[in-house]
């Protein structure tokens, strides 16, 4: 009797999850997620452009808030910020459904990997939605300062240095994931059409260069967290902008900075392609 009752409950939960999955698979969420990819594409292209400007002696903040600040100050800045916020929120919801509802159909190992990868993206895209919204309200944050404040708050806790190293490990892990994804070209299934044609090969170049460059940029950010933990100095973790600007003072740093800048633009172009031809 108890076994039958338990089976009925599991069946009821499964049917409910199937119903929620069908509801989540709506054109509105699809459009919002694609809009989110487009918004992130613009952010990456702008970060790449700012980094390229830095490589040639210019100024700017080569990180998400620096890019958004330049857009927010334009004539249509506020509506663009709110469109970006809606898109990133939709993208976060879509990844949440990927991490929970759709992950049910995978094997145990694949399900765990999906929980980690999509779960991380839920946090990333959700925070980007919040950043867009803050700029829409006219209260855009300084990312480098926010990173320092975040690191300082970690160090002020009981397990301060350990938490900084854990954060560094997560960022470094994501960076390695992007590099491997680019080198192995595992981004190909994300697109609906990927023919072995000249167009397909061009898209593949954008995907490889973009993912590897984004991964390298994250490795630099994670490296600064490691240095901050070793030195017990939160001022060392200055985010993406600080890590890219630090390259200016190395003998070959300008060349590396230029390569990463071009790669981030390539990732942005790939994200635009992903927003149009991506599998959702």
């Amino acid at each position: 009797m108890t076994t039958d009752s338990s089976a009925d409950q599991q069946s009821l939960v499964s049917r409910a999850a199937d119903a929620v999955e069908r509801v989540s698979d709506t054109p509105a969420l699809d459009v919002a997620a694609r809009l989110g990819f487009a918004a992130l594409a613009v952010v990456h292209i702008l970060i790449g452009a700012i980094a390229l400007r830095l490589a040639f002696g210019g100024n700017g903040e080569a990180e998400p808030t620096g890019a958004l600040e330049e857009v927010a100050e334009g004539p249509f800045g506020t509506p663009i910020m709110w469109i970006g916020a809606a898109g990133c929120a939709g993208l976060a919801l879509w990844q949440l459904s990927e991490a929970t509802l759709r992950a049910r159909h995978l094997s145990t190992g694949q399900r765990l990997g999906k929980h980690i990868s999509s779960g991380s993206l839920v946090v990333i895209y959700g925070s980007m939605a919040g950043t867009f919204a803050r700029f829409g309200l006219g209260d855009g944050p300084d990312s480098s300062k926010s990173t320092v404040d975040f690191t300082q708050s970690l160090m002020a806790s009981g397990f301060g240095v350990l938490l900084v190293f854990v954060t560094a490990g997560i960022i470094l892990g994501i960076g390695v994931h992007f590099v491997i994804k680019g080198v192995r070209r595992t981004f190909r299934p994300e697109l609906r059409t990927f023919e072995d044609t000249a167009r397909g090969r061009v898209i593949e170049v954008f995907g490889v260069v973009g993912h590897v460059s984004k991964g390298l940029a994250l490795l630099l950010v994670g490296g600064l967290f490691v240095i901050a933990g070793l030195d017990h100095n939160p001022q060392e973790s200055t985010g993406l902008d600080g890590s890219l600007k630090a390259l200016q003072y190395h003998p070959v740093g300008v060349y590396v900075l230029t390569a990463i800048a071009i790669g981030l633009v390539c990732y942005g172009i790939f994200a635009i392609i992903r927003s149009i031809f991506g599998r959702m």
Side-chain angles (χ1 to χ4, degrees):
M1 185 73 169
T2 304
T3 303
D4 292 340
S5 176
S6 176
D8 289 341
Q9 289 178 351
Q10 290 179 352
S11 177
L12 180 61
V13 170
S14 178
R15 288 198 301 271
D18 289 338
V20 174
E21 182 177 346
R22 286 193 296 271
V23 171
S24 70
D25 190 20
T26 60
L29 184 58
D30 183 275
V31 170
R34 292 183 188 279
L35 182 61
F37 277 120
L40 293 176
V42 172
V43 170
H44 281 85
I45 290 173
L46 288 174
I47 293 174
I50 295 170
L52 200 58
R53 190 194 308 163
L54 292 174
F56 287 93
N59 53 23
E61 293 186 28
E63 36 78 32
T65 57
L68 293 182
E69 184 177 8
E70 295 197 1
V71 177
E73 291 175 351
F76 302 102
T78 299
I80 291 175
M81 292 301 104
W82 286 113
I83 291 172
C88 287
L91 196 51
L93 286 174
W94 178 70
Q95 286 293 350
L96 180 60
S97 69
E98 288 287 303
T100 55
L101 300 173
R102 291 172 179 80
R104 297 178 302 129
H105 309 297
L106 302 175
S107 64
T108 302
Q110 290 176 323
R111 191 183 312 132
L112 177 60
K114 196 64 176 176
H115 287 333
I116 295 172
S117 60
S118 291
S120 300
L121 291 175
V122 170
V123 176
I124 293 171
Y125 296 149
S127 65
M128 278 302 301
T131 302
F132 268 104
R134 287 187 62 179
F135 273 103
L137 293 170
D139 183 33
D142 181 334
S143 180
S144 296
K145 186 176 183 303
S146 298
T147 306
V148 171
D149 291 342
F150 172 70
T151 309
Q152 196 164 19
S153 66
L154 290 180
M155 288 188 173
S157 64
F159 301 95
V161 176
L162 176 62
L163 291 177
V164 171
F165 284 135
V166 169
T167 302
I170 293 172
I171 296 173
L172 291 171
I174 296 173
V176 170
H177 166 75
F178 269 94
V179 172
I180 293 175
K181 186 175 181 179
V183 172
R184 292 185 176 178
R185 296 167 172 79
T186 53
F187 54 80
R188 294 185 62 156
E190 295 176 354
L191 300 177
R192 284 202 308 267
T193 57
F194 208 116
E195 310 93 341
D196 188 20
T197 62
R199 183 180 67 173
R201 286 190 287 273
V202 169
I203 293 174
E204 187 171 90
V205 169
F206 283 126
V208 171
V209 175
H211 281 84
V212 170
S213 298
K214 182 177 174 66
L216 291 176
L218 289 170
L219 290 175
L220 289 173
V221 175
L224 288 182
F225 270 96
V226 172
I227 294 173
L230 292 173
D231 293 346
H232 296 265
N233 182 8
Q235 299 298 323
E236 297 284 359
S237 60
T238 52
L240 180 59
D241 181 60
S243 63
L244 293 180
K245 285 178 177 175
L247 291 173
Q248 295 174 301
Y249 304 103
H250 291 273
V252 296
V254 172
Y255 301 104
V256 177
L257 178 57
T258 301
I260 291 178
I262 294 173
L264 289 173
V265 172
C266 288
Y267 184 84
I269 294 172
F270 179 83
I272 291 175
I273 296 170
R274 174 86 167 83
S275 72
I276 300 171
F277 300 106
R279 296 181 187 275
M280 306 300 290

